[in-house]
Amino acid sequence: MRAGRQRGSRPTRPAAGGRREIAGMDPITFEVLRNGFRAACTEGSTLLERVAYGPVITEGHDYAVGLLTADGRLVGHGTRDITPHMGTFEASVRCVLEDFETIRPGDAFLMNDPYRGGTHTLDVRLIRPIFRQGELFAFTVACTHWSDVGGPMPGTFNPQATEVFAEGLVLPPLKVYDQDRPVGPVLNLLKLNVRVPYERMGDLAGMYQAVRLMERRLLEYAGKYGARTVLRAFEEIMDYSERVFRREVREIPDGTYEFVDYADADEGAPGHPRIKFHCKLIIAGDRVTVDWTESDDAPRGPAGLTLPGLLSATYDGTLNCFPHLAPLNHGIIRALDVRTRPGSCVHVLHPTPMAGYCAGGYEKADHAVLCAWGMAFARLDPNRVYAGTVNLENCCVGGVDPRTGRRFVSYTWLEGGQGARADRDGPSFMMPMYAAGATNLSVEVLERWYPFQFLACEGVPDSAGDGRFRGGLGTRKVWRMLGEGVNSIHGDRELIGPPGLAGGRNGGPNRLVLNAGRPDEQRLGMFATGVPLRPGDEIHFFSNGGGGYGNPLERDPARVLDDVIDEVISLEKARDVYGVAIRVIDPEALRYEIDTGETARLRRELASRPVPVGYGPGEVHPYGAKLVAR
Amino acid sequence: MGRVIAAVDIGGTFSDLVALDLETGRLTNVKVPSTPPTFIEGVMDALRQAGFPPERLVAFKHGSTIATNAIIQRRGAPTGLLTTRGFRDVLEAGRSDRPDLFALGWDPNPPLVLRRNRLVATEKVDYEGQPIVPLAEEDVRAAARAFAKRGIEAVAVCFINSFMNPVHEQAARKILAQELPGVFITCSGEILPEMREFERMSTATVNAYVGPILDRYLDGLTAAMRDWGYRGDILIIHSGGGVTTADAARTIPARTCQSGPAGGVIGGALIGRLAGFPNVITFDIGGTSTDLALVHQGQPLTQAGWKVEFRIPIRFPTIDVISIGAGGGSIAWIDRGGTLKNGPHSAGARPGPACYGQGGTEPTNTDANLVLGRLNPATFLGGRMRIDLELARDAIRTKIADFYGMSVEEAAEGIVRVANANMVNGTRLISVERGYDPREFALVAFGGGGPLHAVDVARQLNIPRVVVPRYPGLASAFGQLQVEMRHDYLRPILSREREVDVDRVNRIYEELEQQARAAMLAQGVRARSVRLARTMDVKYFPQATALSIPIRAGRLGRRDIARIVRTFLERHQQEFGYTIPPEFVDVELVNARLTATAPTVTGRLPRQPERGPARAARTGVRPVYFGGRGWLRATVYDRARLRNGARLDGPAIVEQADSTTVLPPGVTAVVDPYLNLIVDLEAIL
């Protein structure tokens, strides 16, 4: 059962008609097949989630499955998967086709090479060729985030890395199942090089079952409707998406729509400079060019994107403005002409490290595309304009659990604020935009799994980006160590907030602070490694609030009062940013009053003051401010 | 006239009564308009119209949507939440997910308790249940003061780790009860001692939110029934597919949500058993949706919880029902890219399908079935409802056929095919995805629309038999009559198999059994009528979801634990296709579960062995459109005149007031002694 409101997706009347057939089949068979492919992928991801090991997959949903044509074009993916993976599947399959002259029924290939066909070393994919009557017919792919693929740091994330050699194993396509038998030596190589190998073998088994389940479904359809009909349906699925996409693009005024976002720091370079991600969205008729060439050079540290990762981010940011065209497929992919400069931060080359790609470059590119489309749609359809949303932080703690004597590696993340929309607030406590299917982590589960004692997990007042419509609240999670351990953090957006739009403020910061409020307080930033933890140490983990939309002085004072009552914003913020004066009468009875005279005076006064312009939390984003709504 | 049992189901629009005379076997059905906001007048109207005096009524079972509607419409009691300091937003955060991958425009519905009424108290119980920070009683008192001033009528108390030790929740309850007399209080660890704070908090909050509403309703209903003259128990149907006494329902009101689909599943299971099929998939098509459930060896599949809305889980065992947006009123439409869609939008009761002539212009499944000759305008709903073929044709022509340049019949057939494909995918979810092979099941088709679509759906899944009960429209209500008393209990074990303390496991089961027996006794059930069934939730330690393994009764030993692990590994292999040897990864025993059931007064459907040939029920021949075949001459039969042993060959249509059965060419059907129609698909698979 699904509730909640989704705007802008109610079907409209079709524009054109008169076609009796779709791709040589009747439109009904086509619809049956299209739903069938989607159902097959969903079955695959459901299976993966139920059998896989570790909270990264079962709770974080950090996986995706996909269905591709025999020449490696994407047809569809699971409906609960996270999006960074699926845009790389075409590149993954291409690697298999390039590297293996003969591919046989019963083969399955494992790879994670980020430069040629992946995202970062932790995202490992299994690629299954599907044969029908001896001929290569299609591919299925399953990809999961492995909690560790070796390297010097538990959990593999290594913000200090300046080369990929410090980021664990890099796997070119390796045949890991041969005629459906596991290839022992390859598995042994893996087991010797990763921490907690049995969990990884469980992950692999889950991926293998998922690609085979999708294979069975696809072959059932081929048996029932004929292989040629299925292949034609593949093509029509792509043509369909491309057709609608181009039709809608044609309605956008020709022009260049630009957005710039920054990653906090290149940890590998002296002075830790911030890194620019510059998206130029060029619309000409129904042609779309996404030009990234003005982005900064590749960082030395692991914050950039490989080309497959950039493409995936470009697709995700785009589809968020075209949600009715999901699932992503090659029809959208070929309608986007993506331009890069090899060796830049959006197209890093071997051996530049990239383990932090997701919180780093991916999230920046994703937002830059999303907001560039927002600029393009500003006057046409404000329902497609979204301010910035909470970014991921990968917080790893490794050690030996004093309760069991076993080695553990915990990998935690945190929900936060979603960006405001043009007509309403962003929701609080949400996953990053590219991880809709992921879930937050249960404190009670974590306390059993790890030697942690949780003290808080709740919203942080005043963390949302202010605006006529504000972003959602950021969250703080606090836990105490029961044993010794080592902490590393790989995140971003402590210094650069999720972008606000149309004069709305950027969202509040991600942060990690050890022993906050104690004499031994230590701000760890977003890129610490090897921080020793002692029993009793307290980790304070904060997440971004969402970006705001529009001038906060235009927010309805009644909404400001509601936020004060709910302790989403403080009285001070109501006064200083929103210009609303509130009298507190009896908080126990929820009695408050707006001082209308003082509010009018405050708003006049604040309107005459300059606003802080910049990329930091609470500032007004310079590009976002250029957005003028209808 | 003899003793009577009756069940009343309150829906948003209608209240349905079904009564069975235990002596004559006669079934009575009464449908009256529901009477919001109290709904009680509707129940009493139905009872009075049914025409039996109160003293003949020996059992009264009752399902309602009152609790569910209170949640969906946000009309529950003003509710407060008291939780551990630092965890004020667990309820609102939910699991932080969104229903669609690319949907930044989506908004979660508002939580049942706003942030302002989610208050906190300092306390800490660790993961093993040891209190390590005492409960700050002054925090609880402060919260009580605020709740009192704010007119709060119900409070949910949910502290972190309370499922391991509810001591602080109980202490808080004591204070709240003192400070807030008359307020409904729920403690999470008491109603659901299960790990995961959000799901437990959500369940407790729902319980509090609907508690005062259900209390008031049951007070009113009990008084009205007494005034009418009924002195027996009012048995309330709950989501687990059982009934409980009204007094027990008041302590766990959240369980009374989702009582509707349970009746259909139990009715379908019973009909399947009578027809000789212990394994059935129930296929219930109403106006807006299709409900699917699976019954294996006579037992409906259950799951550990369900969701009222996307972010409102209730973690009580529930019959596993998949509901898809495909019913008689579901609208066919063409999307922006030019493909044909069916549902989930529905024309509802008003304006209804185009053929109803109530102003609807969108083509629905009912319109398509009418155009294809499957529905008969003259006999629709027994002739009580006029439907207009031309309106249906117009809607399909203008909205669908013209766009594709198709004939109206082809378009109508396409609409039905897309609907059937959605139903096939749903059926696969409830069977294949749960590890069951649909070929080993019979499809029991009911609801007004089930028999129209069932044979085609079964064919696509290679299901060899379809069973159509004598009264498809009453199957669900009949199922409600048959519901037994049922209570479910749960306690965490949370121990690795290698380290498990078997004595502790035995103690847990014994305590659960004592609890169950005491509850049954308090509800007037004799001890020897109580049946107890144990299961255990088992998983690999790192997994998120567990499998439910049946356990034998009596004292368990180490060898029983080993047997549980072996069964778990077998089931894991069967459902997921692989296992990992326990040497490599620990197996965890998660929860002990106990289900207590006891019989209630139920009735039997009478056998009607009198034989008769099909031709005696033949009313004529009419053209019916079948995909790939075009218009065929189909024999039309009157269901009311079909007797035991009659044999029908497709193409044929069987008409009755509450439904229509479609038999495509190549299938045969026979009537059994319970007057079920058993359709054999072997020839077309």
Side-chain angles (χ1 to χ4, degrees), chain B residues 506-518:
Chain B
N506 278 314
R507 214 158 46 237
I508 288 172
Y509 277 112
E510 280 156 22
E511 284 167 16
L512 288 178
E513 287 175 1
Q514 279 165 18
Q515 195 183 346
R517 287 209 178 86

Side-chain angles (χ1 to χ4, degrees), chain B residues 439 462-465 666-668 679-685:
Chain B
R439 289 172 296 190
N462 292 319
I463 295 175
R465 297 278 186 283
V667 305
T668 57
V679 186
D680 181 345
L681 282 76
E682 300 280 4
I684 58 166
L685 295 184

Side-chain angles (χ1 to χ4, degrees), chain B residues 453-469:
Chain B
H453 297 263
V455 176
D456 189 52
V457 167
R459 182 184 57 79
Q460 295 190 49
L461 290 160
N462 292 319
I463 295 175
R465 297 278 186 283
V466 170
V467 179
V468 183

